[in-house]
Amino acid sequence: MLLTSDTPTAPSIWISALRKFYGDTEILKGIDLKVPVGTYLCLLGPSGCGKTTLLRCIAGLEHPSRGRLDLQGRTMFHETMPVPVPAEKRGLGMVFQHYALWPHLKVFDNIAFPMRQKRASSGEIETRVSDLADLIGLRPLLDRFPGQLSGGQQQRVALARALCIEPSILLLDEPLSNLDSGLRNQLRRELRNIHDRLGMTSVMVTHDQDEAMALADMIAVLHEGAVVQYGSPAEVLFEPATRYVASFVGYDNMLEGIVTDLAAGRTTLDLDGTRVTMQSSGRFAIGERLAIALKSRDVSLTSAPRGNHIATTVGRVTRLGSSLEIEIRAADQPLLVTQSADAAPAPKAGEHLFLQLPDTAPLLR
Amino acid sequence: MAALVRTIWRLGPWGSGFCLLLLAFVYWPFFTLIGGAFKSTPFGGTFTLSGFSTVFGNVATYRAFGVSALYSSIVLVISISIGLAFAFVTARSAARAARLLVPAMVLIAAIPRLFFAVSWGMIGAPRSGLIANVFQAFGRDLPDWLTVYSFGGLVWVTVLKVSAAAYLLLLGPVLQIDRSLEDAAVMSGASRGRAVIQVSLPLLTPALVAVAMLMFVEGIQIYDFPALLAAPAGIETLSTAVEAYLNKETTPQWASATALSLVVVLMITLLLLLQARLVGGRSFTSIVGKARQTAAMEPSRWDWAISLAIGLFLVLALLLPLAQMVIGSLQPYFGMYGTYTLANYKAIFADGRQVVILMETLAMSTVGGLFVIAVAFIMAYVETRTSLRILRLFVRIASWVPATAPGIVLSLAFVWTFVSTPGLRTLYGSNILMAIALVVAHLPLAIRACEGIVAQVSPELEDAARMSAARPATVILSITARLCAPSLAAAWVLVSLAIAGALDVPLLLQSTRSQTVATYAYSLFNNGEVAQAAAFFLSYLALFLLMVAGLYLATRFYTSMRNQPRVAVASR
Ligand SMILES: Nc1ncnc2c1ncn2[C@@H]1O[C@H](COP(=O)(O)OP(=O)(O)OP(=O)(O)O)[C@@H](O)[C@H]1O
Ligand SMILES: [Mg+2]
């Protein structure tokens, strides 16, 4: 069925085959995303992967070179449109990484600016700004200039300004990255609360996976200008789609093996002679080369074989504060295991132990 | 063709109108100048090559080239040395007098050249001047070689004035030098002085080359100093040679003047292109009075000498000319020391014509200055922010085109344009056309200043306004222009002063209906009514400063009213 733009189920943001070039370099390589109304979406990816570019394309501050972008059922950009809808006519709210507060306007006037563009009456403006000030905790700061605020306060003002016209979509470009960790956690919770209370769609750019996991309903992982995975935080975390996503979300070991047997929901692999059976819903073929993605914290070494296991030799053992970092070799591949320093007696170099594999570990091509 | 239509579509009516304006008043005069070089007169002349043959067949042309090149080179070497030395003093010295440098240099740079020329013309005049009077007090005559009306005098006066510009252009780069690089050289056993020469000077080379090229071009363009100080001694530079073809011959030699102009424009274009190659796209902006807070500066045992040098320079370049102007304006006749009277001032305000000139110049320079800043700001804004490559190129070229023409040549180009364009011909000789020429002449400098100013506003602040549903015009007016307002206001004051002081641009465009303070003071000076010229010039400066002070106080009052705390909201 073809979903036309004006069906009531139209996604809040609908991006299809969006590409962006700067000169000859392709920065965004065909992005497809459908974001349902009310979703908190995080764009996650390393520096330079095109997150900001994508966000600015949604905002209308930059225009894609190809593809199509619909917001709230209205087409904002289409490669055949002579003039795309300009940023100021899209009715979005945006929070910038460096706040972008206007230094010549007081906090009140900064927040009220978007309403003034809509020629709201001064009574309306007063009520709205003071409501927002209460919501975001800015009440005592309204009469100051941005230069007289701390970083956290400035970010709150930027948020209030973006929310002022009650946008149906809120865009945030690394809103928390300039704050210290305590403040970051607090503001992160507030962001999610406000999102839930106002019921808009939010798109936040971040390169911090923990932040994305904590906040998002949906995560789009970007890599070199393409979306490599789009799913819920649990999906991204427990079923990473590619090795790249896996390593980005913290799987620091890859154990290579070859598929020897397939049964309903189970995949058996041969790891240099040792066989292990993993739970997996992926569709693989016998003889295919796969990697078991492992987090160094989620595996353990034991002296007796138990469950899925593989024989290893202990290499160097390094003490890092309260944890031990153990380099081992298993199936002729180097791996890293991290365990608490005072839990068990520390393994010694050259010792032969067994590595326990969690049988839900993701399998990757 | 289709591409052109698409571009116009994207520009919209306002953008296209603005481009049309640039086309008409910036590009078009230069095309008519090129065409004019092959015509006998602007008043319906015929095709001729006689202009070029006269110019290239005349020994005086080559002499003028030589004089201009020599003059520019000597001036640039001396004034860059002085400017660089003082810039280092500002950056490094703890001497008390060093703090005077920035404001004093801004003042020297702001005072119109003509004011300097007139003033030093008085100080160094053979019999009645201040120096001659000092000699007479010792029962001697001023030796001929010491007169200011000579090549040496020309260089001397120019250097005093131009060093301030060199200082201001070099201060930014000097302040940006990382001190720790020098410290590293000192730790490796070099003396502080050697560290400066071996480490910091090489770092400054790009800036020095850029400033030198700009000053060389400026030297070729300067008209007022040579006209007042060298022409009486029979020395011609390129600028005065163009003027001589028109005003010193029995009938104006339009073809020759225009042909020589075209040659000069081509030469300067080449120099500017070379400069752009050398500087290699690196933007070069001057920073005025933005000294960075660095480590406290150590007093040294040479501080007294530094203070002395600063004092001497300021006396010669600022106090003496000002004092001579004031004293001269109070003398019944120039050179008559001992009796002082306000008669010159009374005469100005009793003469309706002179009051009109004062007022018209005030209007022309302030309104014209406003136009210059507005157009320059828009051009700088477009240049830095547009994504339309063709538009950027169009604006960029327009921002450099007037810089290729000395004021006198620009004046000539506008004569050709105004006379040969049917609609504009009726306005020829009016204040409006004079004002247009003055605006165009002052654009390049203002654009360079505005580029630096606009660059200081982060694009994110504009994006934030657009995301707040502000229309593009609102973004520019209430965010960018508002943030730039203090710098733009300062630039406006400087440009307005420059417009009022410009002698070369109005020279060919003036008529009995339209004269400026500069051309009128110049004619007074040339007719020997030196005291009146001084009084006239000072009256203008006083009027102008009064107006600026009034505006300043009004803005202060307005902003203090606006910044009253919003009691209603804060207390709820
Ligand atoms: N105006 C531009 N011209 C040319 N290339 C650009 C421009 N803006 C960005 N790029 C390039 O596009 C790529 C993506 O940039 P973008 O700012 O979207 O990255 P990002 O994912 O937001 O990175 P970060 O996390 O560091 O902010 C980068 O390689 C950058 O160099
Ligand atoms: Mg970014």
Side-chain angles (χ1 to χ4, degrees):
Chain A
M1 189 196 76
L2 219 127
L3 200 68
T4 49
S5 310
D6 48 10
T7 39
T9 49
S12 182
I13 302 172
W14 185 7
I15 301 170
S16 48
L18 186 142
R19 289 142 65 99
K20 171 77 181 169
F21 294 86
Y22 281 124
D24 288 339
T25 32
E26 191 173 8
I27 303 297
L28 298 177
K29 302 170 183 167
I31 306 270
D32 290 290
L33 278 181
K34 256 184 215 174
V35 187
V37 175
T39 308
Y40 201 118
L41 169 71
C42 276
L43 299 176
L44 181 66
S47 184
C49 68
K51 306 180 295 286
T52 300
T53 309
L54 179 57
L55 196 76
R56 287 171 66 84
C57 283
I58 299 175
L61 294 170
E62 259 161 71
H63 296 307
S65 317
R66 289 268 177 285
R68 172 171 177 171
L69 167 71
D70 287 27
L71 300 179
Q72 305 291 115
R74 266 177 72 211
T75 305
M76 296 291 157
F77 176 88
H78 190 266
E79 55 195 54
T80 56
M81 272 167 102
V83 183
V85 179
E88 59 270 22
K89 300 229 173 93
R90 295 191 180 188
L92 311 178
M94 181 156 177
V95 178
F96 291 82
Q97 184 170 3
H98 302 283
Y99 321 129
L101 298 179
W102 302 300
H104 63 298
L105 297 179
K106 288 184 178 171
V107 168
F108 181 95
D109 297 306
N110 259 288
I111 300 177
F113 187 92
M115 288 197 80
R116 298 222 161 101
Q117 301 311 309
K118 307 209 138 173
R119 313 229 181 283
S121 73
S122 58
E124 268 178 278
I125 294 178
E126 291 273 335
T127 347
R128 180 93 189 107
V129 173
S130 61
D131 286 352
L132 271 174
D134 288 335
L135 179 70
I136 298 179
L138 288 170
R139 167 71 64 201
L141 306 176
L142 287 178
D143 230 6
R144 297 215 203 146
F145 284 98
Q148 301 163 332
L149 303 180
S150 72
Q153 291 168 333
Q154 289 187 32
Q155 195 55 289
R156 280 166 207 264
V157 176
L159 182 61
R161 179 177 67 186
L163 293 173
C164 190
I165 50 165
E166 304 186 317
S168 46
I169 300 173
L170 178 67
L171 308 175
L172 307 110
D173 191 356
E174 310 211 17
L176 307 177
S177 65
N178 283 325
L179 307 173
D180 68 59
S181 68
L183 200 56
R184 190 154 44 195
N185 289 335
Q186 187 191 343
L187 246 113
R188 178 198 284 175
R189 276 192 296 277
E190 286 180 30
L191 271 181
R192 183 68 218 204
N193 283 340
I194 289 168
H195 169 89
D196 291 343
R197 199 144 11 134
L198 302 181
M200 67 224 155
T201 308
S202 301
V203 182
M204 186 172 102
V205 163
T206 178
H207 58 243
D208 179 346
Q209 48 138 333
D210 294 332
E211 201 169 285
M213 298 300 163
L215 268 170
D217 298 320
M218 294 294 276
I219 294 177
V221 185
L222 269 78
H223 180 46
E224 291 177 350
V227 175
V228 285
Q229 187 167 16
Y230 179 44
S232 68
E235 279 170 341
V236 172
L237 196 57
F238 298 118
E239 297 162 37
T242 65
R243 294 185 188 205
Y244 176 77
V245 177
S247 69
F248 195 74
V249 296
Y251 292 92
D252 44 4
N253 290 310
M254 296 285 163
L255 197 55
E256 305 269 349
I258 290 166
V259 181
T260 55
D261 195 16
L262 290 166
R266 307 200 152 262
T267 306
T268 308
L269 293 157
D270 177 273
L271 305 170
D272 200 27
T274 316
R275 296 212 162 193
V276 292
T277 301
M278 313 293 295
Q279 287 178 8
S280 157
S281 50
R283 262 176 272 152
F284 306 111
I286 290 184
E288 202 175 351
R289 224 183 144 71
L290 294 181
I292 307 173
L294 298 167
K295 293 191 174 182
S296 60
R297 306 194 159 273
D298 293 351
V299 288
S300 50
L301 293 168
T302 49
S303 44
R306 224 184 299 145
N308 266 330
H309 64 265
I310 180 166
T312 65
T313 320
V314 175
R316 193 147 48 122
V317 179
T318 319
R319 196 188 170 101
L320 292 172
S322 63
S323 62
L324 291 179
E325 203 177 79
I326 306 156
E327 289 169 37
I328 57 172
R329 274 196 95 72
D332 208 25
Q333 296 168 47
L335 295 175
L336 203 63
V337 176
T338 316
Q339 58 176 227
S340 172
D342 32 43
K348 311 229 161 19
E351 207 174 335
H352 293 283
L353 293 172
F354 294 96
L355 176 69
Q356 296 245 209
L357 304 176
D359 49 7
T360 53
L363 298 182
L364 301 166
R365 284 199 174 91
Chain B
M1 201 56 216
L4 184 68
V5 170
R6 199 143 15 105
T7 310
I8 292 174
W9 171 264
R10 278 193 63 181
L11 285 175
W14 287 100
S16 312
F18 188 74
C19 288
L20 216 60
L21 219 62
L22 292 184
L23 207 57
F25 293 114
V26 178
Y27 282 95
W28 185 240
F30 281 79
F31 289 126
T32 50
L33 185 78
I34 295 172
F38 303 96
K39 276 171 76 180
S40 50
T41 76
F43 312 97
T46 49
F47 176 85
T48 174
L49 284 174
S50 69
F52 289 98
S53 55
T54 314
V55 164
F56 286 111
N58 191 347
V59 190
T61 307
Y62 302 99
R63 203 181 304 135
F65 263 101
V67 170
S68 270
L70 190 67
Y71 165 60
S72 296
S73 319
I74 298 180
V75 165
L76 88 85
V77 168
I78 304 179
S79 46
I80 283 186
S81 312
I82 295 177
L84 187 64
F86 281 142
F88 266 101
V89 166
T90 302
R92 303 290 154 82
S93 166
R96 198 58 72 69
R99 271 177 254 158
L100 281 176
L101 275 173
V102 172
M105 291 294 196
V106 170
L107 206 58
I108 296 173
I111 296 175
R113 278 201 296 262
L114 186 61
F115 183 98
F116 256 78
V118 167
S119 179
W120 268 97
M122 291 160 84
I123 298 170
R127 268 178 307 283
S128 21
L130 206 66
I131 303 177
N133 271 275
V134 172
F135 273 89
Q136 274 154 22
F138 294 97
R140 301 247 195 109
D141 271 350
L142 184 70
D144 274 347
W145 57 268
L146 245 176
T147 173
V148 79
Y149 297 96
S150 62
F151 187 77
L154 175 66
V155 168
W156 167 258
V157 177
T158 313
V159 160
L160 284 181
K161 164 81 181 162
V162 169
S163 296
Y167 168 86
L168 292 173
L169 287 170
L170 289 171
L171 185 58
V174 168
L175 285 174
Q176 273 166 18
I177 295 175
D178 191 349
R179 277 297 293 273
S180 60
L181 296 179
E182 260 173 48
D183 292 344
V186 170
M187 295 314 288
S188 323
S191 72
R192 189 51 78 176
R194 283 179 63 96
V196 168
I197 290 168
Q198 293 189 341
V199 176
S200 298
L201 276 189
L203 286 174
L204 279 173
T205 316
L208 285 172
V209 171
V211 173
M213 294 292 283
L214 282 182
M215 290 187 62
F216 188 78
V217 168
E218 179 73 5
I220 289 174
Q221 302 197 347
I222 286 186
Y223 173 78
D224 1 32
F225 289 137
L228 258 85
L229 303 175
I235 303 168
E236 294 273 8
T237 65
L238 285 172
S239 303
T240 58
V242 170
E243 199 251 356
Y245 275 123
L246 294 171
N247 288 344
K248 305 255 160 74
E249 309 275 338
T250 41
T251 56
Q253 302 286 306
W254 290 99
S256 310
T258 313
L260 180 57
S261 296
L262 197 59
V263 174
V264 173
V265 165
L266 287 179
M267 192 176 83
I268 293 178
T269 305
L270 288 181
L271 283 173
L272 287 177
L273 286 177
L274 183 67
Q275 196 244 6
R277 277 300 288 274
L278 287 177
V279 181
R282 231 164 330 148
S283 72
F284 181 78
T285 45
S286 64
I287 299 172
V288 177
K290 202 181 155 198
R292 216 179 326 165
Q293 285 295 316
T294 39
M297 284 170 276
E298 302 279 310
S300 99
R301 67 202 154 102
W302 294 109
D303 280 353
W304 65 270
I306 290 173
S307 291
L308 192 70
I310 294 172
L312 192 68
F313 181 80
L314 294 188
V315 164
L316 289 174
L318 192 61
L319 295 183
L320 198 58
L322 276 177
Q324 171 68 75
M325 257 337 219
V326 174
I327 294 169
S329 76
L330 294 173
Q331 293 172 339
Y333 299 101
F334 171 55
M336 192 168 169
Y337 292 87
T339 14
Y340 297 102
T341 158
L342 285 175
N344 292 322
Y345 291 96
K346 285 192 189 129
I348 293 169
F349 289 97
D351 178 4
R353 178 70 197 135
Q354 296 191 39
V355 175
V356 167
I357 294 176
L358 283 177
M359 288 308 162
E360 281 182 354
T361 307
L362 195 63
M364 218 187 309
S365 66
T366 51
V367 177
L370 215 55
F371 266 95
V372 171
I373 296 299
V375 174
F377 176 76
I378 295 173
M379 289 174 74
Y381 184 85
V382 169
E383 235 190 288
T384 46
R385 301 283 201 264
T386 186
S387 55
L388 264 176
R389 214 178 294 169
I390 174 116
L391 178 64
R392 186 164 44 221
L393 193 70
F394 180 80
V395 169
R396 172 141 236 151
I397 294 177
S399 80
W400 279 105
V401 160
T404 60
I408 188 84
V409 171
L410 205 72
S411 182
L412 184 62
F414 272 97
V415 170
W416 281 101
T417 313
F418 296 158
V419 168
S420 61
T421 314
L424 293 175
R425 194 177 304 159
T426 47
L427 287 172
Y428 179 57
S430 73
N431 278 328
I432 295 182
L433 287 193
M434 176 103 92
I436 292 176
L438 283 166
V439 166
V440 173
H442 289 88
L443 270 181
L445 197 67
I447 293 169
R448 302 284 95 76
C450 285
E451 281 168 358
I453 294 171
V454 170
Q456 285 170 0
V457 177
S458 139
E460 219 175 47
L461 293 177
E462 290 164 16
D463 290 345
R466 292 188 62 197
M467 293 312 293
S468 307
R471 287 173 308 122
T474 315
V475 176
I476 298 184
L477 286 178
S478 61
I479 305 296
T480 323
R482 178 57 193 75
L483 287 170
C484 296
S487 310
L488 292 178
W492 170 73
V493 171
L494 296 183
V495 167
S496 299
L497 260 180
I499 289 180
L503 176 61
D504 42 7
V505 181
L507 208 59
L508 298 180
L509 295 169
Q510 65 178 334
S511 67
T512 44
R513 280 193 289 150
S514 74
Q515 268 183 311
T516 68
V517 164
T519 57
Y520 194 77
Y522 178 58
S523 62
L524 284 175
F525 185 83
N526 266 358
N527 295 338
E529 299 174 59
V530 176
Q532 288 93 315
F536 195 62
F537 223 127
L538 283 177
S539 303
Y540 182 77
L541 282 186
L543 269 177
F544 182 79
L545 290 181
L546 221 60
M547 189 208 62
V548 170
L551 280 180
Y552 177 73
L553 290 179
T555 356
R556 282 293 295 270
F557 181 70
Y558 177 71
T559 42
S560 72
M561 292 299 288
R562 285 225 8 202
N563 284 344
Q564 298 287 324
R566 305 175 42 87
V567 184
V569 175
S571 60
R572 232 185 309 156

